[in-house]
Amino acid sequence: MKTYCINLVRVAAIVLIAISWTVPALAQEPLPSWNDTAPKKAIVTFVERVTRQGSPEFVPEAERIATFDNDGTLWAEQPIYFQLALALDRVKELAPLHPEWKDQEPFSSLLKGDLKGALAGGEPAIFEIVTVTHSGMTTEEFEKIVRDWITTAKHPVTGRLYTEMVYQPMLELLAYPRANGFKTFIVSGGGIDFMRVFAERVYGIPPEQVAGSSGKLAFELRDGKPLLMKLPTLNFNDDKAGKPVGIQMHIGRQPIAAFGNSDGDLQMLEWAKGGGGVRFALIVHHTDAEREWAYDRTSSIGRLDKALDAAQAEGWTVVDMKNDWKNIFPFGSK
Amino acid sequence: MKTYCINLVRVAAIVLIAISWTVPALAQEPLPSWNDTAPKKAIVTFVERVTRQGSPEFVPEAERIATFDNDGTLWAEQPIYFQLALALDRVKELAPLHPEWKDQEPFSSLLKGDLKGALAGGEPAIFEIVTVTHSGMTTEEFEKIVRDWITTAKHPVTGRLYTEMVYQPMLELLAYPRANGFKTFIVSGGGIDFMRVFAERVYGIPPEQVAGSSGKLAFELRDGKPLLMKLPTLNFNDDKAGKPVGIQMHIGRQPIAAFGNSDGDLQMLEWAKGGGGVRFALIVHHTDAEREWAYDRTSSIGRLDKALDAAQAEGWTVVDMKNDWKNIFPFGSK
């Protein structure tokens, strides 16, 4: 049998290359856009505690479920929810087909450019605007409407695409638990069909890991081709006490970590904290009027009042955007 | 620099071991419990076509969604749906708390041991039995009820645990696409909370990949502890035209393959076949009275009538259990 002489350094190099193929790149410092303040430390400590093999706090990968709100948590929500901006654009496009809207609120005000007047009707007005613009078409047609809009419409303040208005620190906060065996889900009051169009590309979250509000659907065959029609009826409101329900329906496991920013997330955070073992709840507090927006207890969009009290009482992690985040958006700030 | 002399055979062995760690064991012959008849060939051909790199028929992994019915497709459903067997056992256990059931159908017949009389009321009777046994407790309490039952109750004909009454060929048909980058989902008329208790252990399908029928839930805090109450109201019937709706709500992508056994699966199969590119639809036809059960067009459980016509008209794959399966259950046959 022939033997060969081999340089040990070369063998070591080959072994190292082989290892680098098999062991996922262990992240450099996690959460680079976060300052070294309490929230970053709390996140890293939590992830390390539940992933430490042999520790009594260890959580198996299958149970490492983390749920994230979308509006105001993963992307901005000012001056109005982005999905509502889509709905308003659609009302203008559809107006020629609806001459009756001229004398009918909230459409009448809206078409005159009076957004405040249109929204004076509160949630019923918003619900009507969303309903007429989100039903009466197939799921495939709606997906195309969203895709066309989301790749062209610009944010009124920054002039950026809405999908650029995502928080860089939160993109890192999706990636970091994921790199540690977590499965990340969106659980949002926003429309499930709306978010699924961009969630995979923007957040790395596939459609099957998006839970949200929805209208009823009807299956039918049209000329032999199956389709799903979007009906003008609410199916599920995935907000407030609906969030734990949406989580159970969609995921079927209690999350061990949840991330939100408003009173709409309170029950989701309670639900995540309510199970046994080590749990994590985090609230993004919008405190940076210069780089983003500053609002909380009295805002009509993303009100944070009861959930802020709960966070303080329960010791949940509260992110002060101004002090805890180095960057806001991938492109910088407002 | 020091050099070492190494035997080339030993180096080759080490490299081979390293490769065997990194490359997933490429399956031996797939579907070993399937005879080499048309259905096995059709399945293998389909999987090979959509996974062939560079082919115009190639489907990216993220879109390789396969949906499976449960009752009669993954496990047996005779002489009655297994979840109904749980409900009947629960009625007996709960009877002392409900003296009024003595004079109230379907409970009265049921408690006298007259199953046929109890079920004479048809779907409303079944719905009532399921409702009283599947609501009025928390999701956590219900999970415990199911876990206790499913690990002890025995099938009336075989004396086996219900989770042993799964079809060995179908377990292989879950594993084979999964080993080829597919994500497998259950989409069943059965209860979502019921199936999730055993789906991971028995089928390798995690709770978040189980879609099914459900009752409404209510989130509440009891002594500060969050919980979800199961209410006596139907939330969603994941059967027939409900299946494509359940798929859209839960998965948000049109499956490229679907597997069923009854008219309840017809629309799911149509939906899977309705998209572009290469698609696959399969029906398990219960033809083996000796090793399992034989039933189709006139059965009250798992009726296969319209879907069998559709399969023949559309050229879907129909499994003749008697001729196409070498084995039925992991333990043998009935």
Side-chain angles (χ1 to χ4, degrees), chain A residues 219-227, chain B residues 270-271 273-274 314:
Chain A
F219 177 81
E220 56 183 78
L221 292 174
R222 193 181 288 169
D223 303 326
K225 187 180 152 55
L227 51 83
Chain B
E270 289 174 333
W271 184 230
K273 287 291 282 186
E314 305 289 335

Side-chain angles (χ1 to χ4, degrees), chain A residues 167-298:
Chain A
Y167 302 128
Q168 178 60 32
M170 294 305 292
L171 296 181
E172 296 164 9
L173 187 46
L174 285 166
Y176 170 59
R178 254 190 331 239
N180 285 278
F182 279 73
K183 212 165 181 176
T184 53
F185 289 80
I186 291 176
V187 177
S188 168
I192 191 168
D193 290 338
F194 171 73
M195 294 182 289
R196 279 169 166 169
V197 174
F198 56 86
E200 185 148 39
R201 174 170 58 86
V202 176
Y203 303 130
I205 296 182
E208 60 269 27
Q209 286 166 227
V210 176
S213 297
S214 57
K216 289 204 183 295
L217 299 171
F219 177 81
E220 56 183 78
L221 292 174
R222 193 181 288 169
D223 303 326
K225 187 180 152 55
L227 51 83
L228 289 167
M229 280 298 293
K230 287 172 72 69
L231 306 181
T233 321
L234 181 70
N235 176 57
F236 184 64
N237 183 9
D238 193 23
D239 201 28
K240 300 191 172 71
K243 287 208 176 192
V245 174
I247 288 170
Q248 177 64 19
M249 295 307 310
H250 208 94
I251 309 175
R253 304 191 207 251
Q254 213 166 341
I256 65 166
F259 304 83
N261 78 298
S262 78
D263 284 359
D265 302 312
L266 174 59
Q267 290 85 352
M268 173 170 77
L269 297 165
E270 288 173 335
W271 185 230
K273 287 291 283 186
V278 185
R279 301 284 174 144
F280 192 74
L282 180 147
I283 286 178
V284 174
H285 189 187
H286 294 263
T287 52
D288 195 329
E290 199 180 320
R291 296 189 301 169
E292 206 243 358
W293 285 268
Y295 57 97
D296 48 31
R297 294 187 188 272
T298 59

Side-chain angles (χ1 to χ4, degrees), chain A residues 28-80:
Chain A
Q28 63 278 45
E29 178 71 6
L31 308 175
S33 301
W34 293 67
N35 286 318
D36 285 325
T37 44
K40 176 174 176 173
K41 284 174 192 156
I43 296 160
V44 172
T45 300
F46 165 73
V47 170
E48 288 178 353
R49 285 173 71 183
V50 299
T51 56
R52 192 174 292 128
Q53 287 279 357
S55 151
E57 298 175 336
F58 179 80
V59 176
E61 282 205 16
E63 293 166 27
R64 292 183 206 156
I65 302 288
T67 56
F68 293 79
D69 170 58
N70 184 40
D71 296 312
T73 298
L74 295 181
W75 73 359
E77 59 185 349
Q78 297 288 356
I80 57 169

Side-chain angles (χ1 to χ4, degrees), chain B residues 270-312:
Chain B
E270 289 174 333
W271 184 230
K273 287 291 282 186
V278 184
R279 303 282 174 145
F280 192 74
L282 180 148
I283 285 178
V284 174
H285 190 187
H286 294 264
T287 52
D288 195 329
E290 198 179 320
R291 295 188 301 168
E292 205 242 359
W293 285 270
Y295 56 99
D296 47 33
R297 295 186 188 272
T298 60
S299 176
S300 62
I301 299 275
R303 175 170 304 177
L304 175 63
D305 183 36
K306 289 178 191 166
L308 194 55
D309 292 340
Q312 285 157 357

Side-chain angles (χ1 to χ4, degrees), chain B residues 43-260:
Chain B
I43 296 160
V44 172
T45 300
F46 165 72
V47 170
E48 288 179 350
R49 285 173 72 183
V50 299
T51 56
R52 191 174 292 128
Q53 285 280 358
S55 151
E57 297 174 336
F58 178 79
V59 176
E61 280 204 18
E63 293 165 28
R64 292 184 206 155
I65 302 290
T67 56
F68 292 78
D69 171 57
N70 184 40
D71 296 312
T73 300
L74 296 181
W75 74 359
E77 58 185 348
Q78 297 288 358
I80 56 169
Y81 296 120
F82 297 173
Q83 189 178 356
L84 185 55
L86 160 67
L88 300 183
D89 286 351
R90 289 292 297 163
V91 165
K92 285 172 208 153
E93 281 171 44
L94 293 169
L97 302 172
H98 294 273
E100 75 280 9
W101 285 354
K102 265 187 208 132
D103 310 304
Q104 192 184 321
E105 290 296 355
F107 306 104
S108 166
S109 296
L110 209 56
L111 294 172
K112 284 181 213 139
D114 176 12
L115 179 60
K116 205 175 162 189
L119 300 187
E123 292 213 352
I126 293 178
F127 183 71
E128 196 167 350
I129 292 167
V130 171
T131 300
V132 300
T133 56
H134 285 63
S135 64
M137 73 286 278
T138 68
T139 49
E140 197 178 339
E141 287 161 353
F142 182 73
E143 193 180 317
K144 185 179 175 335
I145 289 168
V146 176
R147 179 161 293 121
D148 290 347
W149 184 83
I150 203 89
T151 51
T152 54
K154 301 287 172 63
H155 188 276
V157 176
T158 64
R160 298 280 178 161
L161 291 176
Y162 287 100
T163 48
E164 294 180 273
M165 302 286 291
V166 295
Y167 304 129
Q168 178 61 33
M170 294 305 291
L171 296 180
E172 297 164 8
L173 187 45
L174 285 167
Y176 170 57
R178 259 196 318 247
N180 285 278
F182 278 73
K183 212 165 182 176
T184 53
F185 289 79
I186 291 176
V187 177
S188 168
I192 190 167
D193 290 339
F194 171 73
M195 294 182 289
R196 280 170 166 168
V197 174
F198 56 86
E200 185 147 40
R201 174 171 58 86
V202 176
Y203 303 131
I205 296 183
E208 61 268 28
Q209 288 167 222
V210 177
S213 297
S214 58
K216 287 203 184 294
L217 300 171
F219 177 80
E220 57 183 79
L221 293 175
R222 191 181 289 169
D223 303 326
K225 190 180 148 57
L227 51 83
L228 289 168
M229 281 299 293
K230 286 172 71 71
L231 306 181
T233 321
L234 180 69
N235 176 57
F236 183 65
N237 182 10
D238 194 23
D239 201 29
K240 299 191 171 73
K243 289 210 176 193
V245 173
I247 288 170
Q248 177 63 19
M249 295 306 310
H250 207 93
I251 309 175
R253 302 190 208 251
Q254 213 166 339
I256 65 166
F259 305 83

